[in-house]
Amino acid sequence: MQLAIADLFDVSQLTVSRKFFNIAGFPKVIGTLDGTFVQIISPGGEDAERFRCRKNYFALNVQTVVDADLVIRNVVARWPGSAHDNTVFNNSAACLSLKTNELYKDFHLLGDTGYACEKYLLTHFGHPRTRAEVRYVYKDDPEPPADPQIEALVRQLELENDDITPSFEISSRCPAGLDKRNVIVTNFF
């Protein structure tokens, strides 16, 4: 399942980017991106193992893009658990739109190091070295109010998934994305 690209950017990108800037001082952001595993029952058949994720259960790798108000603007829920987050994004309508639509040429999404740094998708530094890079990666966002039900669910999930998930960083392949990220770090952080 993939929602239409109009759902991703149905509000003014200027309005959204202003909200992100007011939250974290980060310019031209129109959304944040991440993938998560949604556990499923084994689909069986020859392709069943494609759905086994790195946490060793059957899942879909579901990608979401949210705006500054935490409204989901885009969902891709059609990739097996073995698919990498970067693969899901690179094959999404959101990626295609960001690459080709002139309306979004100055804007970008924010993602973690599971994605390649591109002009339209800025990522963390794997190992920040300067004070500005540290501020770029660790913005002092206020913690949302505690919800006892959510905290209990998180504790339960942590106990169920007590394994250590390997940490890895996608190699950055876009010099223009790295340059854009460096300009933002220099000028805003």
Side-chain angles (χ1 to χ4, degrees), residues 6 8 23 44 50 53 87 94-95 121 129 133 136 170 181:
L8 175 58
I23 291 168
R50 291 181 50 231
C53 69
T87 301
C95 180
L121 174 60
R129 294 178 308 236
E133 288 176 1
Y136 170 93
I170 295 294
R181 181 174 72 180

Side-chain angles (χ1 to χ4, degrees), residues 4-157:
I5 194 64
D7 295 332
L8 175 58
F9 305 118
D10 67 351
V11 294
S12 162
Q13 57 268 33
L14 286 174
T15 301
V16 173
S17 71
R18 278 191 205 112
K19 287 182 179 184
F20 272 110
F21 189 84
N22 290 338
I23 291 168
F26 208 113
K28 301 290 188 172
V29 177
I30 55 174
T32 60
L33 167 75
D34 205 1
T36 190
F37 296 123
V38 175
Q39 192 167 2
I40 62 171
I41 296 171
S42 172
E46 292 180 15
D47 290 337
E49 287 304 311
R50 291 181 50 231
F51 289 87
R52 189 177 300 277
C53 69
R54 69 178 184 271
K55 295 186 177 191
N56 203 28
Y57 56 83
F58 294 101
L60 291 175
N61 188 347
V62 178
Q63 171 186 285
T64 58
V65 176
V66 299
D67 68 16
D69 295 318
L70 300 179
V71 173
I72 296 173
R73 293 293 173 187
N74 184 265
V75 174
V76 179
R78 63 185 180 101
W79 287 84
S82 65
H84 194 277
D85 288 351
N86 204 52
T87 301
V88 176
F89 177 67
N90 284 333
N91 289 282
S92 71
C95 180
L96 179 63
S97 185
L98 287 164
K99 281 182 179 179
T100 61
N101 192 326
E102 283 294 308
L103 289 174
Y104 312 120
K105 72 177 181 170
D106 294 328
F107 296 94
H108 44 263
L109 299 176
L110 296 180
D112 61 24
T113 55
Y115 300 93
C117 188
E118 302 279 356
K119 283 178 61 173
Y120 47 84
L121 174 60
L122 300 183
T123 61
H124 292 222
F125 289 89
H127 303 286
R129 294 178 308 236
T130 68
R131 179 177 250 149
E133 288 176 1
V134 169
R135 284 195 306 269
Y136 170 93
V137 172
Y138 303 105
K139 294 175 286 293
D140 291 327
D141 295 335
E143 285 292 320
D147 182 328
Q149 289 178 322
I150 291 176
E151 289 179 357
L153 179 60
V154 167
R155 279 192 299 277
Q156 178 184 349
L157 290 171

